[in-house]
Amino acid sequence: TGEDLFGSVPGADYEIKPIYPLVKQLERQWPARVNEKELPTLLTSGMYNFISAVGSLATAITGLMTAYVISLAMSLYFIPSKSMEPNLKVGDVLLVEKVSSKLSGASLLKKGDVVLFPAPSRLQDVIVSSGGKRINDRDLFVKRIAATAGDVVQVEASGSVRINGDVAPGNRQMCDAEPLRLIEKYIESGETLVGEKDLFVMGDCSDVSVDSRVWGTLNRKVVVGRPLLRVWPLERFGGLPSLPDR
């Protein structure tokens, strides 16, 4: 027909010629005329479109599944409050791994680890009784593990904490103090034996942190993840600082 064709045209004759040089044994007079029936089976435009659609769909599904699997292992978290200052500041973005908290019943978690978790039911009760609204389970809290199974924790009315008779390790008085010390009216003073499946967690800034001193111990199973890196802002990019000594 003299036209450029894509697909199969039964009975058509084609003029073909190579676009690259051939070895001497394959050279002949070009172009060569070949009938449709002498050619290998060609894809019709419909078949090509179908295969392209299936390929695109498979690529999209693979991408979504990969993103989903990654999201199960890693995620980003935005620091919303001052409870972890000065080590973690409002606006910091953390890269959180969510695997270790799921292994062996979160037994890999240890003192000093920073953990993320949804609001425990006792904390929800405190919020509601204070006139607030219940917190969505997708809104996570971030605290540092201060005591683990078998530890005896003594919480004083002032908010200070002793673990197994000793003052809780680390300096939690480096942030700006809350002048009215409103946190003290929520603190539950007394002695607690941390259960086998529980954690006692505290914020790095004791004067403003609503933590286990208020709502009790945290079950290991509800821990969502453990931050690995601070990825934003860039000038503070790197690993999470540990709680400094007193």
Side-chain angles (χ1 to χ4, degrees):
T1 63
E3 299 177 356
D4 291 331
L5 299 176
F6 179 84
S8 176
V9 181
D13 288 329
Y14 298 92
E15 285 189 352
I16 59 175
K17 61 181 178 180
I19 59 175
Y20 299 109
L22 301 177
V23 296
K24 186 175 181 181
Q25 293 86 338
L26 297 178
E27 283 292 351
R28 58 178 295 175
Q29 187 68 33
W30 302 107
R33 182 174 291 270
V34 181
N35 189 268
E36 164 83 10
K37 65 182 180 182
E38 299 178 47
L39 295 174
T41 301
L42 301 177
L43 292 178
T44 65
S45 57
M47 294 168 61
Y48 177 83
N49 291 336
F50 175 77
I51 293 174
S52 297
V54 171
S56 298
L57 180 61
T59 300
I61 292 175
T62 301
L64 290 174
M65 290 182 64
T66 301
Y68 175 71
V69 170
I70 292 175
S71 72
L72 293 178
M74 295 280 183
S75 65
L76 296 176
Y77 175 75
F78 173 86
I79 297 293
S81 72
K82 296 183 177 182
S83 69
M84 294 296 288
E85 287 192 351
N87 296 315
L88 298 175
K89 299 183 178 181
V90 175
D92 284 358
V93 179
L94 310 179
L95 176 65
V96 179
E97 64 87 8
K98 299 187 287 187
V99 177
S100 62
S101 61
K102 303 296 185 295
L103 297 177
S104 304
S107 62
L108 298 178
L109 300 175
K110 61 186 185 301
K111 293 179 185 178
D113 283 349
V114 176
V115 292
L116 277 74
F117 53 90
S121 57
R122 173 67 181 126
L123 175 55
Q124 295 278 22
D125 294 341
V126 171
I127 293 171
V128 172
S129 64
S130 301
K133 296 182 178 180
R134 293 185 66 83
I135 298 175
N136 191 301
D137 286 342
R138 298 185 65 179
D139 295 329
L140 302 179
F141 283 70
V142 55
K143 305 295 177 188
R144 194 183 298 270
I145 298 175
T148 54
D151 288 333
V152 176
V153 180
Q154 178 70 43
V155 179
E156 300 177 4
S158 63
S160 60
V161 173
R162 288 184 174 272
I163 301 175
N164 300 324
D166 298 324
V167 175
N171 186 355
R172 291 184 168 86
Q173 305 296 330
M174 297 195 307
C175 57
D176 294 333
E178 198 280 299
L180 300 180
R181 299 193 65 79
L182 297 177
I183 188 66
E184 291 184 4
K185 78 173 186 175
Y186 296 106
I187 288 175
E188 296 283 346
S189 59
E191 187 174 280
T192 300
L193 173 64
V194 181
E196 181 181 355
K197 298 180 180 180
D198 296 333
L199 303 167
F200 190 93
V201 297
M202 297 175 63
D204 288 357
C205 180
S206 292
D207 290 331
V208 300
S209 177
V210 179
D211 47 38
S212 287
R213 298 172 301 164
V214 174
W215 41 262
T217 56
L218 177 72
N219 191 298
R220 287 175 176 266
K221 290 184 178 180
V222 304
V223 173
V224 172
R226 190 168 55 96
L228 295 178
L229 291 171
R230 174 169 35 207
V231 298
W232 185 266
L234 294 179
E235 59 267 24
R236 294 205 302 277
F237 179 90
L240 272 63
S242 57
L243 196 62
D245 295 330
R246 292 178 179 275

